[in-house]
Amino acid sequence: MSRNIMILPGDGIGPEIVREACRVLEAVNDSFDLKLNFVDELIGGASIDVYGEPLTDAAVERARECDAILLGAVGGPKWDTIDRAIRPERGLLKIRSSLELYANLRPALLYPQLVDASSLKPEVVSGLDILIVRELTGGIYFGEPRGIRTLENGEREGYNTYKYSESEIERIGRTAFEMARKRNKKVCSVDKANVLEATILWREVMDRLAPEYPDVALSHMYVDNAAMQLVRAPKQFDVLVTGNMFGDILSDAAAMLTGSIGMLPSASLNKHGRGMYEPCHGSAPDIAGQGIANPLATILSASMMLRYSLGETAAADAIETAVGEVLDQGLRTADIYTSGTEKVGTVQMGDAVLAAL
Ligand code: IPM
Ligand code: MG
């Protein structure tokens, strides 16, 4: 049975890092006889340049037919002044919402080899293994009404709507509890229930679900405190579950605990476990085209894809072991470089992972 994988390189460093991840996927495709077919599509600025929009409906339809999607990153200065309805980021939001990829899993795992690359003290981060479960298709990112309007006094006002329905909260809550069951059995739900009604309901729904998961301990934390705790004592967390915007922010903070956002993969799943896999970082236009971007977050995203959507555990394990070996060899892209290690570029890093495989 062959499986179709959609490849969406996107913009900036996207094509460079996706190229390395595809080489790794092709290698395991051969060695583990995975029968993967790759289907290329455009997203973000790359799609705007060709079709005048950041993701075509035809591309969404093709994505629906695929077994999984691997995405690089979208956006860049070239499209920053474009009409906001067709910004590159809208392509990403469109595919997330069209395919109902509501469960975004962002594991922040510190490789022991990178303990010195973190900006935090080794004792604070060593052994760190937390999972951020971010709601991805609701909240303020999608709430209507939204816009920029002109008031009676002639002044303009920007506005967005932060809302969550009970069913949206419940399904992401269940994802968090189920993930925690396979880990250290702790869920911390992050909200701003001291101020925002949408998150008062969020907290209520989480509390209502908790008795169904008696083996998992649920706690609650306000988002400002969670940001502080993440940099103060991150190892207190196992699974963090939160809404779209808080998850966006907290996952970047968590990324730095692991040395570099260039190490962080992610999975965005729908209710059938189908999904899109992408690094947590953006398109990094400042370093695009220089061959220095870290491809490991994308390579690790490909490995999450094999694990979560394709059930290919052995191939996923092989990739993760290979990444560990490359780090053991002391190879580092610029973002994780520390003195005494060897600085390599994007392609060399890909080569090293392939060799280790
Ligand atoms: C992320 C990114 C996106 C988001 C942007 C590019 C729209 O920051 O995946 O975290 O905000 O979700
Ligand atoms: Mg982000």
Side-chain angles (χ1 to χ4, degrees):
M1 184 191 58
S2 79
R3 284 155 308 173
N4 293 324
I5 311 300
M6 175 162 283
I7 306 292
L8 293 167
D11 310 316
I13 59 170
E16 302 164 48
I17 53 178
V18 166
R19 199 174 302 126
E20 298 313 309
C22 283
R23 288 167 67 207
V24 169
L25 274 176
E26 276 155 17
V28 292
N29 194 21
D30 290 344
S31 53
F32 291 85
D33 194 24
L34 304 179
K35 303 193 170 59
L36 307 180
N37 296 319
F38 300 99
V39 184
D40 292 319
E41 267 301 337
L42 299 177
I43 191 168
S47 174
I48 296 172
D49 289 349
V50 177
Y51 300 114
E53 53 177 321
L55 185 70
T56 63
D57 291 339
V60 172
E61 284 322 304
R62 272 195 290 277
R64 244 185 249 291
E65 302 302 310
C66 286
D67 296 279
I69 303 162
L70 183 71
L71 176 106
V74 299
K78 178 173 175 196
W79 307 281
D80 268 351
T81 51
I82 209 163
D83 172 8
R84 65 176 191 274
I86 59 159
R87 280 185 65 97
E89 290 79 1
R90 288 292 174 100
L92 185 55
L93 299 179
K94 178 174 172 179
I95 195 159
R96 287 174 179 173
S97 80
S98 312
L99 303 185
E100 279 195 82
L101 306 172
Y102 64 87
N104 184 215
L105 312 181
R106 300 191 158 187
L109 185 91
L110 178 71
Y111 279 84
Q113 302 91 328
L114 296 184
V115 84
D116 293 325
S118 175
S119 45
L120 271 75
K121 294 192 196 94
E123 62 269 26
V124 175
V125 291
S126 72
L128 182 83
D129 177 3
I130 61 188
L131 176 67
I132 297 190
V133 176
R134 168 187 176 194
E135 200 291 327
L136 202 60
T137 54
I140 199 164
Y141 271 51
F142 293 93
E144 298 282 348
R146 64 189 294 163
I148 299 174
R149 61 191 162 204
T150 304
L151 302 174
E152 272 167 23
N153 67 3
E155 190 189 11
R156 291 189 310 153
E157 175 184 72
Y159 59 101
N160 291 87
T161 304
Y162 190 163
K163 58 180 166 190
Y164 270 117
S165 67
E166 290 181 289
S167 59
E168 283 177 307
I169 303 167
E170 187 175 324
R171 64 182 183 178
I172 194 69
R174 288 193 185 285
T175 304
F177 280 111
E178 274 151 30
M179 288 291 150
R181 274 200 164 147
K182 297 182 208 147
R183 299 170 43 96
N184 291 321
K185 304 190 171 49
K186 288 197 297 183
V187 169
C188 177
S189 171
V190 175
D191 61 39
K192 189 72 188 173
N194 50 348
V195 179
L196 303 173
E197 282 79 359
T199 72
I200 293 176
L201 184 66
W202 178 284
R203 190 177 278 222
E204 211 181 289
V205 173
M206 289 294 163
D207 279 333
R208 196 165 72 211
L209 289 177
E212 291 183 45
Y213 302 88
D215 49 329
V216 178
L218 172 69
S219 61
H220 302 280
M221 198 178 273
Y222 296 140
V223 62
D224 47 352
N225 187 22
M228 180 173 76
Q229 296 300 331
L230 265 179
V231 291
R232 191 188 74 88
K235 284 188 273 184
Q236 69 185 284
F237 298 115
D238 176 25
V239 174
L240 277 166
V241 61
T242 189
N244 207 341
M245 182 170 59
F246 296 162
D248 179 44
I249 299 166
L250 294 181
S251 61
D252 268 30
M256 269 325 287
L257 306 175
T258 71
S260 165
I261 196 167
M263 292 301 297
L264 243 71
S266 81
S268 307
L269 306 175
N270 71 10
K271 63 171 187 272
H272 308 295
R274 282 224 179 160
M276 180 162 82
Y277 298 80
E278 52 177 312
C280 290
H281 61 70
S283 58
D286 54 322
I287 60 163
Q290 296 177 29
I292 59 170
N294 186 349
L296 293 179
T298 317
I299 290 172
L300 292 168
S301 299
S303 130
M304 283 186 95
M305 175 174 94
L306 294 166
R307 193 181 300 286
Y308 288 103
S309 285
L310 305 175
E312 298 292 350
T313 314
D317 288 344
I319 293 176
E320 283 161 28
T321 306
V323 168
E325 273 176 37
V326 166
L327 295 174
D328 280 339
Q329 291 160 19
L331 303 183
R332 304 282 187 272
T333 41
D335 57 315
I336 48 176
Y337 174 77
T338 45
S339 76
T341 61
E342 185 186 340
K343 200 184 278 184
V344 296
T346 311
V347 176
Q348 278 169 289
M349 189 55 112
D351 284 343
V353 174
L354 284 172
L357 268 174

